Amino acid sequence: MMGEKMKKTTNIFFDIMMYSIIFLLVFPLLNLVIWSFAKNWPWPYLLPQELGLRGILHLLGPSSRALKNLLFSIYLSMVVTIITLLLSIPAAKALGVYKFRGKEFFKILILAPIIVPPVAVALGIHLTFIRLGLANTFWGVVLVHLIPCLPYGIRILTNVFEIIGESMEMQARVLGATPWQTFTYVTLPLIAPGLVSAGSLVFIVSFSQYFLTFLIGGGRVITFAMMMFPYIQSGDRMMASVYSLVFVAATLVVLILMEKVIKSYYGAKNYFYL
């Protein structure tokens, strides 16, 4: 009897925790939904006194170019994500599998771009990009986005390689597989969950970049985040809420599609998916 009571108490506790977390996640979004239509919402009223569609009409209007910039931002962040993962895989494997002098130092050094404030190095990067002809260009923005994104990609995949090791790869090589076959049919399926996690986080980091995009893009490369932040800073809550909802929705849709594409790909190839 005591065991059943303890079990019920534990279940109730976990249910309360789960519903509390869901509430904390959903409530801000509900607040954004209300503010997206709130034309007049003075204190102390619990509900808006006037409703309007100014934010929605502006977002969907051709003059705002919001949807076009949204698609461009998704494309840019996907390019950054792919390049980041391609660079992170060999670096993470070296840090996670191999032993060499100064390994722990390099693990810490990789985190430097997210420890050092970007303002401290952004101006120097901008001057270098001007000399190289990368300022105010798409590829210049892609390269500068790699700076805050690479630490996340390398760190997550390093943990994955530390867990899986290289025993499966060595067995494949002993059985006659080429390096490319080993990487394609053994390594990639094993690190697929890590790729999904790293790619999701990298996409979010790139998609939400404002300062680096503004500095290196020079106003010529305009992303959705650059369109959203001025409304947040100006205090236009209706417009800021509309843009924020689209920002959150676009991020969730892209991440869900990324996960489904990877799962379906490995499922079609009959790979072992962790």
Side-chain angles (χ1 to χ4, degrees):
M1 293 294 293
M2 291 295 294
E4 293 181 358
K5 289 182 178 180
M6 288 292 294
K7 186 176 181 180
K8 290 182 179 180
T9 304
T10 303
N11 291 336
I12 293 174
F13 174 76
F14 281 111
D15 288 341
I16 293 174
M17 290 293 295
M18 183 184 66
Y19 287 119
S20 298
I21 293 173
I22 293 174
F23 175 78
L24 292 175
L25 292 174
V26 173
F27 181 75
L29 294 179
L30 292 177
N31 193 31
L32 286 178
V33 172
I34 296 175
W35 267 114
S36 298
F37 299 95
K39 187 177 180 181
N40 183 22
W41 195 356
W43 172 265
Y45 294 99
L46 294 177
L47 295 175
Q49 298 303 295
E50 293 183 61
L51 299 178
L53 297 175
R54 178 173 64 91
I56 303 295
L57 294 177
H58 174 80
L59 181 73
L60 299 178
S63 59
S64 67
R65 305 184 67 181
L67 297 180
K68 181 179 179 180
N69 286 327
L70 175 63
L71 295 177
F72 172 76
S73 298
I74 294 174
Y75 168 70
L76 187 148
S77 297
M78 288 299 298
V79 172
V80 173
T81 301
I82 293 172
I83 296 176
T84 300
L85 293 179
L86 291 177
L87 295 176
S88 298
I89 290 174
K93 184 176 181 180
L95 292 173
V97 175
Y98 304 131
K99 295 181 180 180
F100 54 90
R101 184 175 297 178
K103 178 178 177 179
E104 296 301 322
F105 169 75
F106 284 106
K107 281 186 176 181
I108 298 175
L109 185 63
I110 286 173
L111 300 177
I114 59 178
I115 297 175
V116 179
V119 180
V121 295
L123 294 179
I125 295 173
H126 191 206
L127 291 175
T128 303
F129 276 24
I130 290 175
R131 295 192 186 99
L132 297 176
L134 292 172
N136 306 333
T137 64
F138 172 82
W139 289 109
V141 174
V142 169
L143 289 176
V144 81
H145 278 205
L146 293 177
I147 296 174
C149 290
L150 277 171
Y152 294 102
I154 295 176
R155 187 61 184 176
I156 292 174
L157 292 178
T158 297
N159 294 333
V160 174
F161 277 108
E162 287 176 346
I163 294 172
I164 67 174
E166 60 176 347
S167 59
M168 298 293 290
E169 295 179 340
M170 293 177 64
Q171 292 181 28
R173 296 298 302 275
V174 169
L175 293 174
T178 63
W180 177 250
Q181 289 174 332
T182 302
F183 177 76
T184 304
Y185 297 105
V186 178
T187 306
L188 275 182
L190 288 174
I191 67 172
L195 289 176
V196 174
S197 300
S200 301
L201 185 57
V202 167
F203 178 86
I204 293 173
V205 172
S206 175
F207 193 66
S208 60
Q209 283 297 316
Y210 171 73
F211 175 73
L212 292 177
T213 305
F214 177 75
L215 183 65
I216 303 302
R220 296 184 181 180
V221 181
I222 301 176
T223 60
F224 195 77
M226 291 180 62
M227 299 182 66
M228 180 179 66
F229 273 93
Y231 292 112
I232 297 176
Q233 294 174 347
S234 65
D236 191 339
R237 294 188 178 183
M238 176 185 282
M239 296 297 298
S241 299
V242 170
Y243 274 80
S244 298
L245 283 175
V246 175
F247 187 90
V248 172
T251 304
L252 289 176
V253 169
V254 171
L255 296 184
I256 292 172
L257 289 177
M258 285 173 56
E259 184 175 3
K260 286 187 176 297
V261 167
I262 292 178
K263 283 185 176 181
S264 62
Y265 174 78
Y266 286 111
K269 294 293 184 179
N270 294 319
Y271 289 148
F272 177 71
Y273 192 87
L274 295 178

